[in-house]
Amino acid sequence: MSGRVLVGVKRVIDYAVKIRVKPDNTGVVTDGVKHSMNPFCEIAVEEAVKLKEKKLVKEVVAVSCGPQQSQETIRTALAMGADRGIHVEVSGKDYETLGPLQVSKIMAALAKKEDAQLIILGKQAIDDDCNQTGQMTAALLDWPQGTFASEVTLDGDKIKVVREIDGGLETIKINTPAVLTADLRLNTPRYATLPNIMKAKKKKIANVKAADLGVNLTSRLETVEDLVGKLKEAGKV
Amino acid sequence: MWLYLTPSRRLLSLRRNLIQYRSITLENSGRKAAVDKVISPFRSICGKDNVSLGEAIREQHGKDESVHRCRPPDVVVFPRCVEEVSALAKVCHDHNLPIIPFGTGTGLEGGVGAVQGGVCFSLRNMDQILNLHPEDFDVTVEPGVTRKALNAYLRDTGLWFPVDPGADASLCGMAATSASGTNAVRYGTMRENVMNLEVVLSNGTVIHTAGKGRRPRKTSAGYNLTNLFVGSEGTLGIITKTTLRLYGVPEAMVSAVCSFPSVQAAVDSTVQILQTGVPIARIEFLDDVMIDACNKFSSLSYPVTPTLFLEFHGSERSLEEQVSTAEEITQSNEGSDFQWARDAETRNRLWKARHDAWYAAQALRPGCKAYSTDVCVPLSRLPQIIVETKKDLLESRLTGPIAGHVGDGNFHCLMVVDPNDPDELHQVHLFTERLARRALAMDGTCTGEHGVGLGKRALLCEEVGPLAIQVMKGLKDSLDPRNLMNPGKILQRGEL
């Protein structure tokens, strides 16, 4: 048992930013806009760090797929208590078409390479709202999945997961290794403190290419049309 | 009051009232003409969508969270940058129209009421966080940025801005009212944490109180203009940027609660904890009436007796020491039921009573409004003033649970009053005046954090004295000779 947890962290536009659509309707303005870690990924990191503090796991590895700036997101995870990071560099056209299928293939490959016991992801990213990566990763690895987790309890070599579902709460018990996805009420993520940010600068972030993991980044999806709502005229009072 | 005047004085008073009435109506029609003239220039400055004459919008911008009634402005403008603020101010200046700056409208003293009508400058569109320097612990923000928005922005830098008044207020508004919060005892109030301001004066001039872009941690360069504008409540200029001092987020926090047999015991513990040099972050006092209200509202079961809520910030090791020192002190003052917690969920549960205090107080008498008093006295006088105030409350048969930032000597009586009972309203008014005078007699102030606004102008005169008021008047005359900046606040009409 390696006791190793992989946590996926995604760099997204900060939740507090007012999103603006590009004038040519080809998407959203991202230049110069504040980015930060996806809030559900923060909750995932917090859960992993809590498990380490309770000595139930031995090492927390933060993983991010994206351009150079994704390293900042990994640093935030390190400042929250992750031990080391892995940056899978994806940029340019590949980054524009990067989606859950490619990311889940990367996570599955890393899980095997790092001999991970547990993968914790946020339930979805706030930019694409896909809610697919965790489920796809579990399927690729043929591991059980505990999604929309609002409570996680490790019990020997099993995990008890309380899941938030439409009708209320569902409790399941799954074997390890497993994939969990974090829902809002799982925990309250800690703030990165200055001493921890400074310590994080010394922690290692490894650089890996998707090709080295045997993952093809080509997307199977093609954007046919971007329909952006027209701004309505303000009402008169 | 009127009946106590002699007949001749009554006639004079009547004449004065009639003259005032006539001049008010003349003012009103003069003002209406001026307002009509400025709408078009306003629209060309900030766009026609950012100028509003609508009644609902004007009413929204004529009141805050105080008990003062709504006094709507004649027009509301929504400038998008300091250049627009300056241009709009020039137009107002040329037409002698009052200017009322508006942040989040969460003030507690009626500061945004347009008592003479005029133009409300709602600054919510200026919502940028600029120039964050994490290594220097400073950031500059525009008026549309609230304290929670700033802290959310800062969350992965390891920094925060600790001043936390109850509402999620505009930071520039907090600078204008010299706001404070529950952790002032450790981190200070706005006075200590504003390093520089960009201000638009009544004639449109834009100044930087410490020089443009400057942010040294300390300075002895010239008159302290920054602190002149902090607390000026919009009467000297419109604050369009503030540079704030940031602090490192605490490594760890511990919260504690302790009950005491008397107010004296609770306050003595506070003083002793401060004297031993424990760098306590929050120390809040709730009296027995308040605890009872909180128990009922939040289904808690704290002993119904004066209670202290404490919070400690620091590294893990220093926290152990802080908590054990504090516990010893509370025990030596007959404190009991000392509970403490380290993790966020339990801490929040422990402090829930304190957080819900405002609502718990109002729930004591549904349908009533709450008004908060705000006196502040030297620590050593706190037991006496609280005891005398509680006696006054009992004798006047008023509902006024007490919650306070005892570490600063500041406490609030949350007066719960029936807004439809003029007698009770009058009693509350008299009570708050007695309380303010009691505080003044103990070397204190009539307002520790909320500001003077509309309701405490007379008390301000008593507090600082006529000579200091003259100096204030001189400053006001020099910066705003036409008295356009938020008229009717801080200084009384007769003084201008």
Side-chain angles (χ1 to χ4, degrees):
Chain A
M1 294 281 265
S2 71
R4 190 167 293 124
V5 184
L6 282 190
V7 183
V9 297
K10 187 178 181 186
R11 179 176 182 267
V12 298
I13 295 180
D14 187 86
Y15 74 84
V17 165
K18 275 185 225 156
I19 304 288
R20 280 179 304 137
V21 177
K22 282 194 227 165
D24 59 4
N25 278 359
T26 57
V28 148
V29 177
T30 54
D31 280 340
V33 166
K34 181 166 204 271
H35 283 63
S36 48
M37 189 190 293
N38 180 41
F40 294 105
C41 300
E42 285 179 354
I43 298 174
V45 173
E46 175 66 26
E47 197 62 20
V49 173
K50 271 200 165 86
L51 288 174
K52 195 178 91 157
E53 284 170 349
K54 289 186 206 157
K55 302 209 188 334
L56 294 167
V57 299
K58 292 206 195 82
E59 193 188 23
V60 177
V61 183
V63 179
S64 191
C65 307
Q68 191 61 18
Q69 298 96 318
S70 292
Q71 295 213 6
E72 288 160 20
T73 315
I74 299 176
R75 288 268 169 232
T76 306
L78 296 173
M80 284 172 73
D83 298 292
R84 58 183 169 89
I86 299 176
H87 176 212
V88 182
E89 177 137 16
V90 180
S91 43
K93 200 90 192 34
D94 283 336
Y95 181 57
E96 280 169 40
T97 56
L98 186 67
L101 185 56
Q102 299 98 310
V103 174
S104 55
K105 286 179 182 169
I106 292 172
M107 290 303 295
L110 282 172
K112 291 201 187 105
K113 183 162 176 271
E114 298 284 338
D115 187 26
Q117 288 310 119
L118 194 54
I119 300 178
I120 311 183
L121 304 172
K123 72 170 180 182
Q124 67 197 57
I126 59 171
D127 51 5
D128 57 23
D129 280 340
C130 283
N131 195 328
Q132 296 166 353
T133 309
Q135 293 88 332
M136 285 177 172
T137 309
L140 288 166
L141 288 165
D142 198 25
W143 285 7
Q145 57 185 261
T147 52
F148 310 105
S150 70
E151 207 184 301
V152 168
T153 322
L154 264 57
D155 187 9
D157 60 350
K158 297 206 195 303
I159 308 181
K160 187 181 94 171
V161 184
V162 178
R163 308 177 57 229
E164 296 194 19
I165 61 173
D166 284 345
L169 297 171
E170 179 195 50
T171 308
I172 59 173
K173 217 169 197 170
I174 55 179
N175 292 324
T176 51
V179 176
L180 303 174
T181 72
D183 209 323
L184 193 59
R185 277 152 284 268
L186 180 57
N187 59 50
T188 310
R190 65 196 62 191
Y191 284 113
T193 62
L194 284 175
N196 288 340
I197 291 176
M198 283 168 51
K199 278 185 217 154
K201 290 194 183 139
K202 302 202 183 99
K203 295 182 183 175
K204 291 208 181 348
I205 300 180
N207 281 309
V208 176
K209 289 205 186 46
D212 295 340
L213 297 170
V215 174
N216 182 351
L217 288 174
T218 321
S219 175
R220 296 185 192 179
L221 302 173
E222 183 199 322
T223 305
V224 174
E225 198 182 349
D226 258 314
L227 285 173
V228 178
K230 281 191 72 181
L231 275 177
K232 287 195 203 157
E233 280 288 310
K236 290 272 178 273
V237 175
Chain B
M1 260 323 274
W2 206 66
L3 294 167
Y4 292 122
L5 297 171
T6 59
S8 54
R9 279 176 181 261
R10 250 186 264 167
L11 273 171
L12 276 170
S13 165
L14 185 62
R15 188 165 163 266
R16 201 182 313 132
N17 285 343
L18 280 171
I19 291 176
Q20 272 183 5
Y21 173 71
R22 202 164 149 260
S23 72
I24 287 172
T25 42
L26 273 177
E27 261 179 47
N28 278 349
S29 56
R31 202 177 74 229
K32 194 175 178 313
V35 170
D36 288 335
K37 282 203 208 108
V38 298
I39 299 298
S40 177
F42 282 173
R43 285 189 174 137
S44 58
I45 292 170
C46 57
K48 73 177 173 59
D49 286 340
N50 291 319
V51 179
S52 182
L53 291 161
E55 194 177 327
I57 304 273
R58 288 187 299 115
E59 276 177 14
Q60 267 182 341
H61 289 84
K63 60 177 166 60
D64 57 14
E65 293 186 3
S66 68
V67 293
H68 295 282
R69 64 178 171 80
C70 176
R71 290 168 169 93
D74 297 302
V75 53
V76 185
V77 293
F78 298 86
R80 295 161 295 189
C81 58
V82 63
E83 292 78 18
E84 287 183 9
V85 176
S86 170
L88 292 164
K90 277 202 194 74
V91 174
C92 293
H93 188 257
D94 292 342
H95 291 84
N96 274 322
L97 282 171
I99 296 171
I100 301 107
F102 188 100
T104 45
T106 46
L108 293 169
E109 292 292 337
V112 295
V115 299
Q116 292 177 21
V119 185
C120 173
F121 282 51
S122 171
L123 300 163
R124 68 176 191 211
N125 285 340
M126 296 169 64
D127 59 1
Q128 294 305 298
I129 297 174
L130 312 155
N131 305 332
L132 166 65
H133 300 104
E135 329 77 42
D136 299 319
F137 291 74
D138 66 65
V139 67
T140 303
V141 300
E142 291 188 332
V145 180
T146 64
R147 62 173 183 88
K148 287 187 186 171
L150 177 61
N151 281 330
Y153 184 93
L154 293 172
R155 69 189 186 284
D156 29 359
T157 58
L159 299 171
W160 72 318
F161 185 68
V163 182
D164 64 340
D168 185 19
S170 147
L171 290 156
C172 292
M174 285 162 62
T177 54
S178 190
S180 160
T182 51
N183 46 31
V185 64
R186 172 146 168 181
Y187 297 101
T189 68
M190 290 306 280
R191 275 191 189 187
E192 290 81 48
N193 292 305
V194 174
M195 297 163 74
N196 198 348
L197 292 170
E198 177 186 81
V199 183
V200 177
L201 302 176
S202 64
N203 61 3
T205 314
V206 181
I207 62 163
H208 293 88
T209 55
K212 190 170 164 109
R214 300 203 185 285
R215 47 194 184 83
R217 284 188 74 77
K218 62 186 192 187
T219 174
S220 41
Y223 297 158
N224 190 347
L225 292 183
T226 306
N227 276 62
L228 171 63
F229 285 92
V230 172
S232 60
E233 301 184 40
T235 58
L236 299 178
I238 306 166
I239 298 176
T240 50
K241 283 195 188 67
T242 168
T243 304
L244 300 166
R245 206 184 289 282
L246 301 172
Y247 293 79
V249 168
E251 271 184 69
M253 296 196 219
V254 168
S255 299
V257 184
C258 189
S259 307
F260 293 87
S262 65
V263 174
Q264 184 79 44
V267 181
D268 283 347
S269 301
T270 307
V271 174
Q272 287 161 24
I273 288 173
L274 290 168
Q275 283 174 339
T276 51
V278 172
I280 192 148
R282 290 185 164 105
I283 181 157
E284 296 284 294
F285 169 82
L286 266 60
D287 78 342
D288 53 327
V289 179
M290 181 54 99
I291 287 282
D292 191 42
C294 293
N295 279 344
K296 291 191 177 107
F297 183 76
S298 311
S299 309
L300 300 165
S301 50
Y302 286 112
V304 179
T305 170
T307 309
L308 282 183
F309 288 79
L310 310 108
E311 189 170 284
F312 307 87
H313 295 173
S315 66
E316 298 278 359
R317 280 193 293 179
S318 80
L319 283 181
E320 277 180 43
E321 209 191 311
Q322 289 182 46
V323 174
S324 92
T325 310
E327 191 172 9
E328 269 178 56
I329 291 173
T330 60
Q331 277 168 357
S332 71
N333 284 300
E334 296 171 84
S336 58
D337 300 279
F338 189 95
Q339 300 176 61
W340 61 272
R342 168 86 180 73
D343 63 284
E345 285 84 14
T346 326
R347 274 193 286 115
N348 288 335
R349 215 173 14 87
L350 273 186
W351 267 68
K352 188 164 168 45
R354 172 67 188 86
H355 287 137
D356 294 341
W358 180 250
Y359 306 106
Q362 286 184 67
L364 281 175
R365 296 175 62 196
C368 288
K369 282 174 105 172
Y371 167 69
S372 170
T373 67
D374 179 38
V375 299
C376 186
V377 296
L379 284 172
S380 58
R381 311 303 302 269
L382 199 56
Q384 185 190 355
I385 193 172
I386 292 185
V387 167
E388 283 178 21
T389 304
K390 283 174 75 71
K391 188 156 163 281
D392 191 348
L393 283 166
L394 273 168
E395 282 167 6
S396 323
R397 283 195 293 240
L398 295 168
T399 317
I402 295 178
H405 319 302
V406 286
D408 310 315
N410 179 214
F411 69 97
H412 306 293
C413 295
L414 306 182
M415 311 303 302
V416 189
V417 53
D418 181 355
N420 301 316
D421 181 350
D423 211 43
E424 197 183 359
L425 285 167
H426 184 60
Q427 287 299 318
V428 168
H429 176 70
L430 292 176
F431 165 82
T432 55
E433 299 231 313
R434 286 196 297 274
L435 173 58
R437 296 204 168 96
R438 206 175 289 131
L440 292 178
M442 295 189 192
D443 303 338
T445 169
C446 64
T447 173
E449 359 178 73
H450 298 168
V452 172
L454 275 175
K456 294 184 177 162
R457 289 170 291 165
L459 289 167
L460 178 67
C461 296
E462 289 180 42
E463 180 167 329
V464 302
L467 297 172
I469 289 281
Q470 284 298 106
V471 175
M472 291 193 192
K473 168 183 148 49
L475 288 164
K476 169 76 170 169
D477 278 344
S478 143
L479 287 165
D480 180 25
R482 296 188 190 181
N483 188 23
L484 299 176
M485 294 303 313
N486 207 3
K489 316 291 163 31
I490 301 189
L491 297 171
Q492 290 171 306
R493 224 185 168 133
E495 291 150 352
L496 297 157

